[in-house]
Amino acid sequence: MNYHERITIKPGMRSGKPCIRGMRITVYDVLSYLASGMTYQEILDDFPYLTQEDILACLSYAADRERQILLIQA
């Protein structure tokens, strides 16, 4: 998935943390919900303005960040 269209970083919003489509919900928020055991559907029910593609973009963004960190350490 190409997350670049969905994940935005604006210096004045949420302290420059990566957010979903310019909204105030961060990638970290979504990843935390998933890590706590929430299902995609539970997240979508709680945040009706999100889509499954938004959740997948968060996962893709996190995977890409992890890959970049591993490359720097190698």
Side-chain angles (χ1 to χ4, degrees):
M1 150 161 290
N2 184 0
Y3 63 82
H4 296 93
E5 300 166 359
R6 292 184 179 271
I7 305 300
T8 57
I9 299 174
K10 297 180 181 178
M13 182 179 285
R14 297 294 305 263
S15 301
K17 295 178 183 172
C19 296
I20 301 170
R21 293 185 284 123
M23 297 184 284
R24 297 194 56 78
I25 187 162
T26 66
V27 170
Y28 176 83
D29 295 333
V30 173
L31 296 176
S32 293
Y33 299 141
L34 291 169
S36 73
M38 288 180 75
T39 65
Y40 283 17
Q41 193 56 54
E42 288 170 329
I43 295 170
L44 296 174
D45 289 344
D46 285 353
F47 303 94
Y49 47 85
L50 292 180
T51 65
Q52 182 171 337
E53 289 79 17
D54 293 330
I55 296 171
L56 293 173
C58 290
L59 292 170
S60 181
Y61 177 85
D64 192 43
R65 290 272 310 216
E66 180 65 16
R67 182 186 63 78
Q68 290 176 14
I69 291 169
L70 290 175
L71 290 176
I72 292 171
Q73 291 177 351

